[in-house]
């Protein structure tokens, strides 16, 4: 064994302690350090370093990381990082993630260990959390984009079943032209269609309700009537700009008149089901044929984690089966290796298992409701300030706002950068107007953070005036 490696092995407990202390320091400083460090040079001390020919062990690597890279990372685990839709990691989720690395399982088959059974137990808990019926099976994937891609791959195979071909066997061209109908789809839907050989051009935008991002069910009805043959509908349960929800029950009811696969992108919107005041937004979720829920957002587990639910595991296995002599035939409960794009399968369910085991439905309901209350409070503070205008009501956990005077992209960038040490928000365009979004999904965020964020945005608006 390499001498440095052997020395590290001999001191493993001390090295783990040193790493734990470094993690503790980083988390303890979340409140004090800039939410996003000022943009800098490519590396803290100039050029990227070259590959070490001979290493000097974990302790030296840890010191180099803390000196050169740690100060340049964002405080995205903290309470005032409100960009995109970004969760942190609860204490239990962090513990689960550490142990995932320690055990380093390849949980993709029944050949060794109970890793995939742990994942199945966790999927059952998530099904209960979102009130899904046992007809939905689920698998963990690396994020909502991969969940949408997997769901739409199953949709593609369903189209083949309807037309008497198998795209998994014969290629996507066997389907002929395909239409994927959606009101205000997330950008990852177009990416998924590009990957799947259906093409970004197969996405047909259906009109939304006036002044809303929710699909107009009447317009969807007409678009389906105009579609020759079976179609795919992507319903949106939580759009990223204004967190608008399609009327999922009305969309599902169209199945009585039209032949379509219903995929629902509920990446973070599914968590509305945890709040009694907002659960109605997710009514009808269970009717989806495939369903995407992100976990590294509002469940507050570390990246990379999302789940893909479907009612047609048989079609899923037809697409993703990985036949190899050592894996054996597909059974009634196919191993995970036959269900997702990856073959090797990190035990990423463990972080979700830990946080659900530690805090339960109640603990996670409290996080969701506190974040919603924080979004509402920021919305009220900004709309009371003449410098800002809200572009949509705060429906759930996102505030979509802009400058009241002259909201150009350049001025919004200046505003974001002036506030970035205290609060991080991300740009968007809503109905043709350049805007900013503040999204609340971190378990640490409190009303005190809302006031700090509002103050920073006010000060920044004055500075750029
Ligand atoms: C975040 C998000 C995605 C993509 O999620 P990743 O985890 O970044 O792949 C897809 N759809 C919606 C609605 C989202 O909010």
């Amino acid at each position: 064994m390499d001498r440095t490696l052997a020395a590290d092995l001999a001191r493993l407990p001390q090295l783990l302690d040193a790493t734990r202390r470094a993690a503790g320091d980083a988390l303890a400083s979340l409140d004090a350090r800039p939410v996003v460090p000022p943009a800098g040079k490519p590396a803290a001390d100039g050029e990227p370093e070259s590959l070490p020919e001979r290493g000097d062990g974990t302790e030296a690597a840890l010191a180099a990381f803390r000196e050169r890279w740690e100060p340049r990372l964002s405080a995205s685990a903290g309470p005032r990082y409100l960009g995109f839709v970004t969760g942190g990691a609860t204490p239990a989720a962090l513990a689960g993630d550490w142990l995932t690395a320690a055990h380093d399982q390849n949980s993709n088959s029944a050949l060794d260990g109970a890793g995939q059974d742990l994942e199945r137990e966790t999927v059952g808990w998530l099904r209960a959390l979102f009130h899904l019926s046992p007809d939905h099976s689920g698998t963990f994937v690396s994020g909502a984009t991969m969940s949408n891609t997997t769901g739409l791959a199953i949709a593609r195979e369903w189209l083949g079943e309807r037309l008497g071909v198998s795209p998994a066997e014969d290629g996507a061209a066997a389907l002929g032209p395909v239409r994927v109908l959606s009101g205000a789809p997330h950008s990852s839907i177009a990416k998924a269609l590009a990957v799947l050989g259906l093409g970004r051009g197969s996405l047909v935008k259906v009109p939304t309700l006036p002044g809303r991002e929710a699909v107009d069910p009447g317009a969807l009805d007409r678009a389906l009537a105009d579609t020759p043959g079976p179609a795919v509908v992507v319903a949106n349960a939580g759009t990223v700009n204004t967190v608008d929800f399609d009327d999922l029950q009305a969309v599902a009811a169209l199945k009585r008149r039209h032949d379509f696969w219903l995929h629902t992108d509920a990446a973070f919107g599914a968590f509305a089901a945890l709040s009694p005041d907002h659960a109605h937004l997710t009514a009808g979720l269970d009717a989806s044929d495939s369903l995407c829920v992100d976990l590294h957002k509002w469940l507050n587990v570390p990246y990379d984690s999302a789940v893909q639910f479907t009612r047609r595991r048989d079609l899923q296995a037809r697409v993703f089966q990985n036949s190899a002599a050592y894996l054996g035939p597909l059974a009634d409960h196919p191993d995970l290796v036959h269900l997702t794009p990856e073959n090797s399968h990190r035990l990423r369910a463990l972080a979700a298992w830990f946080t659900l085991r530690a805090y339960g439905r109640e603990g996670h309901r409290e996080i969701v409701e506190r974040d919603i209350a924080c979004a509402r409070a920021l919305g009220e503070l900004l709309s009371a300030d003449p410098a800002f205008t809200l572009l949509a009501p705060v429906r759930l956990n996102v505030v979509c706002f802009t400058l009241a005077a002259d909201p150009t992209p350049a001025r919004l960038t200046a505003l974001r950068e002036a506030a970035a040490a205290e609060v991080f928000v991300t740009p968007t365009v809503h109905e043709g107007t350049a805007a900013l979004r503040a999204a609340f999904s971190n378990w640490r965020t409190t009303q005190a953070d809302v006031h700090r964020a509002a103050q920073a945005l006010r000060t920044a608006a004055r500075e750029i005036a």
Side-chain angles (χ1 to χ4, degrees):
M1 193 183 287
D2 172 87
R3 254 204 282 158
T4 315
L5 188 58
D8 271 7
L9 176 58
R11 299 189 57 237
L12 187 55
Q14 293 94 307
L15 295 175
L16 291 178
D17 276 344
T19 310
R20 178 186 55 74
R21 281 194 301 276
D25 289 352
L27 294 174
S29 72
L30 277 179
D31 228 30
R33 70 186 148 97
V35 178
V36 173
K41 299 161 284 186
D45 55 0
E47 292 298 298
E49 281 183 358
S50 50
L51 170 72
E53 285 308 322
R54 201 178 281 266
D56 46 7
T58 300
E59 230 154 30
L62 181 60
F65 166 73
R66 296 191 76 181
E67 192 198 320
R68 292 187 61 229
W69 290 105
E70 197 171 70
R72 306 182 61 223
L73 299 182
S74 71
S76 61
R80 277 167 287 101
Y81 186 99
L82 308 179
F84 313 102
V85 181
T86 306
T90 63
L94 183 57
D97 200 64
W98 280 1
L99 290 172
T100 302
H103 287 281
D104 194 23
Q105 301 283 290
N106 182 2
S107 301
N108 72 359
S109 81
L111 276 182
D112 80 280
Q116 67 173 8
D117 295 329
L118 184 148
E119 176 166 324
R120 287 174 180 144
E121 177 169 282
T122 314
V123 165
W125 293 357
L126 291 164
R127 203 162 40 214
L129 198 65
F130 303 121
H131 310 293
L132 300 176
S133 65
D135 295 340
H136 276 284
S137 62
T139 34
F140 272 71
V141 289
S142 56
T145 300
M146 197 44 84
S147 174
N148 280 329
T149 304
T150 305
L152 290 170
I154 305 168
R156 187 183 64 181
E157 200 61 19
W158 175 85
L159 289 170
E161 185 179 72
R162 280 298 198 262
L163 299 170
V165 295
S166 169
E169 294 302 321
D170 309 324
L175 292 175
V178 166
R179 276 196 210 175
V180 180
L181 309 171
S182 191
H186 186 266
S187 53
S188 60
I189 297 297
K191 181 171 178 166
L193 296 172
V195 170
L196 292 168
L198 298 176
R200 295 178 201 267
S202 64
L203 186 56
V204 179
K205 297 270 177 77
V206 178
T208 53
L209 294 168
R212 299 271 307 271
E213 289 185 309
V215 75
D216 175 347
L220 181 58
D221 190 9
R222 289 188 292 279
L224 283 163
D226 286 347
T227 304
V232 176
V233 170
V234 175
N236 302 295
T239 57
V240 287
N241 276 349
T242 67
V243 198
D244 214 341
F245 284 72
D246 290 354
D247 180 337
L248 301 175
Q249 286 172 313
V251 171
L254 293 173
K255 282 202 173 186
R256 284 188 226 122
R257 289 212 297 285
H258 307 286
D259 196 21
F260 65 91
W261 177 273
L262 177 55
H263 174 80
T264 305
D265 181 355
F268 66 95
F271 286 83
L274 275 71
S275 160
D277 286 348
H278 300 87
H280 63 277
L281 295 168
T282 62
L285 200 60
D286 187 54
S288 314
D289 297 299
S290 55
L291 173 61
C292 155
V293 184
D294 227 337
L295 302 180
H296 54 218
K297 291 175 179 169
W298 227 347
L299 191 68
N300 280 272
V301 300
Y303 295 99
D304 301 325
S305 188
V307 71
Q308 198 288 312
F309 289 106
T310 183
R311 292 172 167 275
R312 292 295 305 272
R313 191 172 51 192
D314 59 324
L315 295 179
Q316 184 174 10
R318 220 185 277 171
V319 179
F320 294 105
Q321 64 177 291
N322 187 67
S323 24
Y326 58 90
L327 287 168
L330 282 190
D332 277 352
H333 294 280
D335 286 339
L336 299 180
V337 67
H338 300 300
L339 295 174
T340 64
E342 311 91 336
N343 271 0
S344 295
H345 197 97
R346 177 179 167 86
L347 184 57
R348 60 167 62 86
L350 186 56
W353 185 95
F354 253 83
T355 197
L356 290 169
R357 180 71 176 76
Y359 313 117
R361 191 194 295 274
E362 266 306 294
H364 281 277
R365 177 196 59 74
E366 192 277 331
I367 295 171
V368 165
E369 296 205 310
R370 179 156 41 85
D371 283 333
I372 295 171
C374 285
R376 191 158 298 155
L378 183 67
E380 282 163 13
L381 289 170
L382 294 183
S383 61
D385 187 320
F388 298 103
T389 309
L390 290 203
L391 293 181
V394 179
R395 293 194 179 88
L396 201 68
N397 60 330
V398 174
V399 186
C400 186
F401 66 101
T402 195
L403 283 164
D406 197 17
T408 58
R411 273 168 49 78
L412 291 172
T413 302
L415 178 83
R416 275 195 313 112
E417 287 175 357
E422 281 284 288
V423 61
F424 181 67
V425 294
T426 40
T428 189
V429 175
H430 181 59
E431 289 181 344
T433 303
L436 298 173
R437 305 163 52 262
F440 292 79
S441 39
N442 191 292
W443 66 281
R444 289 175 178 267
T445 311
T446 65
Q447 293 285 341
D449 294 302
V450 172
H451 286 274
R452 228 170 124 176
Q455 191 54 47
L457 291 168
R458 274 193 214 109
T459 307
R462 273 200 304 275
E463 275 171 27
I464 65 158

